[in-house]
Amino acid sequence: MKRIASLAIVAAIIVGSAVGWWWATWLPPLPAVEQSVARYVTEDACAACLIRPQGLSAHPWFGSLPFYWYVPPNLTPARLEKLGIDELAIFTVPADDAETEKTIPAWAVAAKLPQPVDLPSLVQMWRDLSVAPQEQMEGPRPLTLDGRDCLQLPAGTFFPRRFAPGTLMFTNREGRPAFRGINVGRVDDRRQYIEGKSKTSAIFVLRDIGVGELVGEELPLELRTSVFLAASVPPEQHLATLTLRNSAVGISSQPIEIPVASLRNNRLSIPRTIMVEEDGELREVDLLEDLVSQGRLEVVITCPTPLVYLGFASDDLNVWRPEFEYAYANGDELIVAQSRELLLRMIQAAQRPLPVATRLSQTRGEIVADVHVNSREKRRIWKSICSTAPAPFNEDVWKSRLTYASAAINLRSSTAASLRASFEQPQYADRAATALDEELPKWKRSLPAFAKDYIENETASSSLIGGSLGVNLNESLDAPTCKEEVDAVQAIIGDSLENVDVEIHAQELRIQFRTPASLRRLSETAQFALAKTDMALAKMLGEFSRVDQKEEIFQRVTDRLPDSLPLRSRRAHDLAFQSRFCFNRYEDQYAAFRRGAETLLDAIEAQQSEAPEALWILGVIITQQSRVQSRYVAFRELFIADEAFQRRLQRLVDISTARGFDDQFDLHLVGQRCMEEAIQRKPDADVAPLIFPLRFLAGPALAQALYAECLTEAGALDEALIAWQQAERMLREVGERKWDAGEHGTIDLNHWKDRYAELDEDQQRAFAGDPGFEQIALGREYDYWRARAELEALDALRPVHAAYAPLRDVLPIPEDLEDPALLAAIAALMGVARQHWEPFNELQRAYFALGWRSPLEQDDDPSVVKKLQEILIGIEQD
């Protein structure tokens, strides 16, 4: 898989560079090195890069380049442009941390802005430009370094936080090792789940644990988890149990029980002196000497609470250290480093710029890079950088024998990319050239096949996503077919690989990519094809939680093809549904969802697409985002507080009546209002082939059913009954709608089957308006009868609910309650609730507070039910 990804990256380099020829314009003179932020690069820099983002952000095809893989995840050209940055120098040096024996890279940047730097405002702007700002961090703190006024920033402000994640494995319900956790029916590619009060467990293996990882006499850990509930369990019962284990000698620490919250960071401090149980006796041990074996520490996590499932990904447990970034503002220049010492060296280097600064500042190109490997420490850093490069640049001759390299991407030149690499001896340059000569034919054979797979997979993925939305994301009147797209991309790859030149001059290897004349103009088919390859690259970035970079690529796709509502809908769906798995807080997930919704609002307000269709798709995304009960509650509260988003929606749709039973905004009803407004604008449902006409008309009814379902799960039974009645009525009205069947007259959906069967395939498509009519019509029937079933179930439960009402006055039940009859009665009532999705939140809370067994573990007892009736009658009489 890694090799496939590498080859895909190479293809992206070729595609992105191939279209840069036409960007040639008048070139302004380069600033002198004394005016360039490259002068802050220090002598111990292993790899340095100068970025001129204005050229990058203006270039419509730069999103096809794999530039994003080699810079911090939160760095994107669009963010740099919005801040007005003219130049950005970024470089890495061997870490000078005295507490660690490992050589790790330390990063530094220097940026030139259009006005004097106001650092607090700049930090806030930087965070606000992210898809999700994530956790609030403390502000800058004043700091004096060498007589200069500097600032100390929390780690993660500009650079990614440095942490060492572990590896993850599981045990199953029998306690046996397993590669995967429990399937809870949740669509979450990142996390696997363990089951509460069972033998399932998550086992994290942390490596390279030593004295350098301790803070004082404690090992700091950071834990994230996703909490999935099979019933309404009170938050105080959301617990995880941690056990530190040395499986090599068979000893484990005493369990440590901690509260966990869904999608929150939990910071733990494990003392170095810790208790273990061995042969039934407790004794103190040293964490590093007794529980860590050759730097390896196992952390076993279980859940003690039934009906609670905890989800983990491999990077959800890590060692963290309280680190900082250090910044210095010099007029319109900002300098940031990961250590105080590095910041001071940068300031000193600027006084007498080094030759590397001159090379960077005086080389034309939007991206200019310089690598200098002249020490053992730099070699270690360079090897780790090289290992991420595609073949053959990740082979040993590049890792161990390279001494110097320079590269440039110049989108204004016919030579779009160039690389010069100097090796220790000529034989190593020959070896590197031979490896490249051997690799190029492989690319010519494999890249077209990979391009075909990526386009076909992206087409299939869009079909699946479109099916969930009721939208045909692969079809528009003028869009090319999948085969035409594959042919276009394969032609681009073939032409591009013919324009790679490799030369050897003694121990120096020179590689150039010249833009072929045949690629000076890309057809519309090629543009759609590249849009799909770009989205494939974006999805790969998303798998590594590079959400800002992924969103920027999606944005470039929609900017290049602004009239394509399917592409814009694909981007909105990715933000609203896929990106949330990368975040650990509901606030961040909501921010991504809102960004997705706003991509459609942008199109509607700019009239770049048919407003009714875009408005309907917006309604579907808003509605479906709230299907999971826990997320529904969190998102509802966040939307209620989000007045700016409400005002923007209100300008297009009257959402003032989209209020739930508590007279507060409800996202299901907001989405429903958007769909109703779209139908009002196009009552004839003339929305094919983009939207299935029947789904278009049934959308508000389905939103009503989802709203009723959430009320049922929340235990608001009286309100749920009203909501289900409304859903049943709306679904019945959809079923009564007449459809023009041409010579066959009209058909209504309640009696469609016999008449529809009389039509041939062509007539069915013409009559229905879309090829999926039969499946959607059957789905409408299912939704209707499901609403009827819910109504009947709630009607049956209403007497129990009415009987339960007097108990509300005695809840929460005192912990010292000893009345066995009342306890048994409540347990019986919980048994009744079990058959109806356990809607009684207050009883459930009392149930767990008293430490009773799960209602799922009990059998109904008729004698207890009878006793319950007697107690309830007594309560009513009192």
Side-chain angles (χ1 to χ4, degrees):
M1 185 63 193
K2 185 178 288 188
R3 182 171 180 79
I4 293 174
S6 297
L7 291 172
I9 290 171
V10 174
I13 294 175
I14 295 169
V15 170
S17 301
V19 292
W21 69 271
W22 54 270
W23 193 247
T25 59
W26 174 79
L27 298 177
L30 292 171
V33 64
E34 290 78 12
Q35 280 76 50
S36 171
V37 293
R39 72 185 190 278
Y40 289 101
V41 177
T42 60
E43 189 173 8
D44 57 346
C46 170
C49 182
L50 184 69
I51 304 172
R52 300 179 176 102
Q54 297 301 322
L56 295 179
S57 58
H59 195 286
W61 301 101
F62 184 75
S64 302
L65 287 167
F67 160 80
Y68 302 97
W69 290 104
Y70 303 103
V71 296
N74 57 355
L75 179 63
T76 69
R79 292 180 85 179
L80 299 179
E81 180 193 17
K82 289 174 182 176
L83 289 177
I85 292 177
D86 296 322
E87 272 190 339
L88 181 77
I90 179 169
F91 65 95
T92 180
V93 303
D96 52 3
D97 190 342
E99 296 187 16
T100 177
E101 299 177 358
K102 299 185 291 290
T103 301
I104 59 176
W107 292 90
V109 298
K112 181 178 286 292
L113 289 96
Q115 66 278 327
V117 175
D118 177 4
L119 191 53
S121 299
L122 184 67
V123 170
Q124 188 61 47
M125 286 178 61
W126 180 258
R127 294 184 68 254
D128 290 344
L129 289 173
S130 177
V131 169
Q134 303 195 31
E135 289 184 270
Q136 291 289 335
M137 297 179 291
E138 61 185 32
R141 292 184 178 181
L143 183 73
T144 301
L145 294 178
D146 195 24
R148 293 178 173 84
D149 293 331
C150 301
L151 289 169
Q152 176 180 283
L153 309 171
T157 302
F158 290 106
F159 301 105
R161 287 181 49 237
R162 293 187 294 192
F163 65 91
T167 56
L168 177 62
M169 52 187 174
F170 295 88
T171 57
N172 58 23
R173 289 188 174 101
E174 288 74 40
R176 298 174 182 171
F179 291 106
R180 300 181 65 83
I182 299 296
N183 182 2
V184 297
R186 206 175 197 185
V187 182
D188 189 340
D189 294 334
R190 295 190 68 238
R191 291 183 171 88
Q192 298 292 314
Y193 289 78
I194 62 174
E195 185 177 43
K197 207 169 185 180
S198 73
K199 294 182 180 180
T200 61
S201 65
I203 305 171
F204 287 90
V205 179
L206 302 176
R207 301 186 184 278
D208 299 325
I209 302 299
V211 177
E213 278 62 49
L214 297 183
V215 175
E217 290 296 309
E218 295 179 326
L219 176 66
L221 299 179
E222 191 171 58
L223 175 69
R224 294 161 292 278
T225 184
S226 174
V227 180
F228 179 81
L229 304 178
S232 181
V233 181
E236 57 268 22
Q237 294 292 328
H238 301 178
L239 302 172
T241 301
L242 276 70
T243 303
L244 309 183
R245 184 173 73 184
N246 183 345
S247 56
V249 297
I251 64 171
S252 301
S253 71
Q254 277 194 302
I256 304 170
E257 191 170 83
I258 62 168
V260 293
S262 188
L263 304 177
R264 292 288 192 275
N265 289 329
N266 293 274
R267 287 186 174 174
L268 317 171
S269 295
I270 308 298
R272 179 166 181 173
T273 301
I274 194 168
M275 302 295 294
V276 302
E277 184 173 354
E278 194 172 17
D279 298 328
E281 297 183 358
L282 295 177
R283 65 182 180 92
E284 285 188 352
V285 299
D286 184 276
L287 172 66
L288 297 183
E289 295 179 3
D290 298 294
L291 289 173
V292 176
S293 176
Q294 298 180 342
R296 185 179 187 273
L297 175 64
E298 293 184 11
V299 181
V300 183
I301 303 179
T302 58
C303 177
T305 309
L307 303 177
V308 175
Y309 295 78
L310 302 181
F312 299 99
S314 60
D315 59 353
D316 276 340
L317 179 72
N318 60 268
V319 178
W320 70 275
R321 299 181 62 190
E323 297 178 329
F324 300 95
E325 299 169 7
Y326 301 89
Y328 173 61
N330 181 21
D332 60 353
E333 296 177 341
L334 173 67
I335 307 99
V336 186
Q338 287 187 305
S339 71
R340 302 183 185 191
E341 295 78 11
L342 181 55
L343 183 66
L344 286 174
R345 294 202 303 273
M346 293 174 68
I347 296 173
Q348 294 165 1
Q351 298 172 8
R352 298 184 64 181
L354 298 168
V356 61
T358 302
R359 290 193 297 269
L360 290 172
S361 64
Q362 299 306 301
T363 302
R364 290 200 178 275
E366 285 76 19
I367 300 178
V368 182
D370 189 279
V371 176
H372 202 191
V373 188
N374 58 356
S375 70
R376 181 186 306 174
E377 292 76 16
K378 288 185 180 181
R379 179 71 63 191
R380 292 174 183 167
I381 299 302
W382 174 245
K383 285 183 177 180
S384 66
I385 294 174
C386 242
S387 62
T388 64
F393 303 105
N394 58 3
E395 296 181 0
D396 188 65
V397 66
W398 288 91
K399 293 179 180 179
S400 304
R401 302 300 177 182
L402 181 78
T403 59
Y404 171 76
S406 63
I409 294 176
N410 190 348
L411 301 177
R412 303 169 186 257
S413 170
S414 60
T415 302
S418 61
L419 170 67
R420 298 178 65 178
S422 181
F423 295 86
E424 293 175 350
Q425 297 179 15
Q427 66 197 54
Y428 298 125
D430 288 337
R431 187 185 304 176
T434 300
L436 184 58
D437 288 340
E438 293 174 351
E439 200 68 31
L440 280 173
K442 297 178 184 177
W443 294 348
K444 292 177 182 178
R445 293 192 302 268
S446 59
L447 287 179
F450 288 134
K452 179 176 182 292
D453 289 343
Y454 279 124
I455 290 176
E456 290 179 349
N457 290 339
E458 188 60 34
T459 300
S461 178
S462 294
S463 296
L464 290 173
I465 293 171
S468 68
L469 297 177
V471 180
N472 191 348
L473 295 182
N474 281 319
E475 185 175 348
S476 63
L477 295 179
D478 301 318
T481 66
C482 182
K483 183 180 184 306
E484 292 173 339
E485 292 171 343
V486 170
D487 292 342
V489 169
Q490 289 180 339
I492 291 173
I493 293 173
D495 289 345
S496 300
L497 289 174
E498 295 296 328
N499 284 269
V500 178
D501 296 332
V502 181
E503 299 178 356
I504 299 176
H505 299 270
Q507 68 258 36
E508 186 175 272
L509 176 67
R510 299 178 184 177
I511 304 172
Q512 287 190 336
F513 173 77
R514 294 175 294 102
T515 306
S518 60
L519 298 178
R520 292 182 178 178
R521 296 187 183 278
L522 292 175
S523 66
E524 185 180 25
T525 297
Q527 293 183 37
F528 273 97
L530 289 178
K532 289 188 176 180
T533 57
D534 284 358
M535 289 191 292
L537 173 61
K539 287 171 61 178
M540 292 169 62
L541 290 167
E543 291 173 2
F544 292 88
S545 300
R546 291 174 171 257
V547 181
D548 289 321
Q549 295 172 337
K550 178 180 72 167
E551 161 56 8
E552 180 161 315
I553 293 178
F554 269 109
Q555 181 176 350
R556 288 178 178 278
V557 169
T558 56
D559 287 348
R560 293 201 305 261
L561 299 163
D563 295 327
S564 175
L565 184 54
L567 288 178
R568 189 170 291 274
S569 301
R570 181 77 170 80
R571 174 187 168 198
H573 180 276
D574 184 88
L575 279 164
F577 293 90
Q578 302 301 318
S579 293
R580 69 166 181 257
F581 296 129
C582 300
F583 299 119
N584 296 315
R585 303 190 314 146
Y586 281 126
E587 292 86 348
D588 301 329
Q589 293 187 0
Y590 175 82
F593 149 71
R594 175 180 169 169
R595 178 74 70 92
E598 288 181 329
T599 63
L600 291 168
L601 285 173
D602 292 342
I604 297 169
E605 292 173 347
Q607 293 297 310
Q608 291 176 331
S609 61
E610 288 294 328
E613 288 86 340
L615 189 59
W616 188 90
I617 295 171
L618 172 65
V620 173
I621 287 178
I622 292 175
T623 299
Q624 291 193 359
Q625 186 63 33
S626 306
R627 299 194 69 163
V628 177
Q629 178 69 14
S630 58
R631 190 167 63 248
Y632 162 68
V633 174
F635 277 32
R636 188 172 189 261
E637 293 175 354
L638 291 166
F639 180 78
I640 290 171
D642 192 350
E643 295 182 359
F645 191 24
Q646 294 170 20
R647 287 194 296 270
R648 191 171 182 191
L649 286 168
Q650 183 65 38
R651 288 197 291 267
L652 298 171
V653 182
D654 182 10
I655 62 170
S656 60
T657 59
R659 299 179 182 273
F661 66 93
D662 57 356
D663 201 33
Q664 296 289 339
F665 281 118
D666 189 279
L667 282 173
H668 291 114
L669 302 182
V670 171
Q672 184 186 66
R673 297 299 180 273
C674 292
M675 288 185 278
E676 289 173 343
E677 175 68 21
I679 293 171
Q680 185 174 350
R681 297 185 188 184
K682 280 203 171 181
D684 58 352
D686 183 19
V687 291
L690 180 62
I691 302 174
F692 307 132
L694 177 54
R695 182 70 180 272
F696 181 77
L697 295 170
L702 298 179
Q704 183 70 25
L706 287 174
Y707 172 61
E709 184 176 352
C710 281
L711 291 177
T712 304
E713 293 183 6
L717 299 190
D718 291 338
E719 294 82 3
L721 185 65
I722 296 172
W724 278 116
Q725 289 171 342
Q726 178 77 350
E728 189 268 348
R729 180 187 63 77
M730 295 173 71
L731 286 164
R732 186 175 65 250
E733 290 176 353
V734 172
E736 293 170 352
R737 184 178 178 91
K738 304 294 184 180
W739 289 80
D740 184 7
E743 63 186 52
H744 296 272
T746 59
I747 301 177
D748 66 272
L749 296 182
N750 287 335
H751 306 89
W752 67 276
K753 290 183 180 177
D754 293 338
R755 299 291 302 280
Y756 189 72
E758 299 173 1
L759 308 179
D760 59 34
E761 187 174 341
D762 291 337
Q763 290 173 324
Q764 288 175 354
R765 277 199 296 269
F767 136 76
D770 63 77
F773 172 81
E774 186 173 1
Q775 290 79 4
I776 297 174
L778 288 171
R780 202 283 319 178
E781 283 192 28
Y782 165 80
D783 291 324
Y784 172 75
W785 289 108
R786 175 171 171 268
R788 291 292 302 271
E790 294 279 1
L791 282 171
E792 292 174 4
L794 287 176
D795 271 337
L797 194 58
R798 290 186 78 187
V800 179
H801 189 242
Y804 151 74
L807 285 177
R808 293 185 178 182
D809 296 333
V810 300
L811 292 175
I813 299 174
E815 293 189 13
D816 58 353
L817 180 68
E818 297 180 354
D819 185 342
L822 185 56
L823 294 179
I826 294 176
L829 189 53
M830 292 304 301
V832 176
R834 175 192 60 188
Q835 302 174 25
H836 300 277
W837 312 284
E838 310 204 41
F840 300 106
N841 290 342
E842 295 93 338
L843 280 175
Q844 190 82 307
R845 180 179 295 276
Y847 202 86
F848 278 95
L850 292 170
W852 301 331
R853 289 187 309 156
S854 162
L856 295 182
E857 300 175 8
Q858 298 198 75
D859 296 323
D860 293 335
D861 185 342
S863 63
V864 175
V865 174
K866 183 178 180 182
K867 188 65 178 177
L868 168 67
Q869 294 173 344
E870 295 174 357
I871 292 174
L872 292 177
I873 292 172
I875 291 176
E876 289 178 348
Q877 290 176 346
D878 292 341

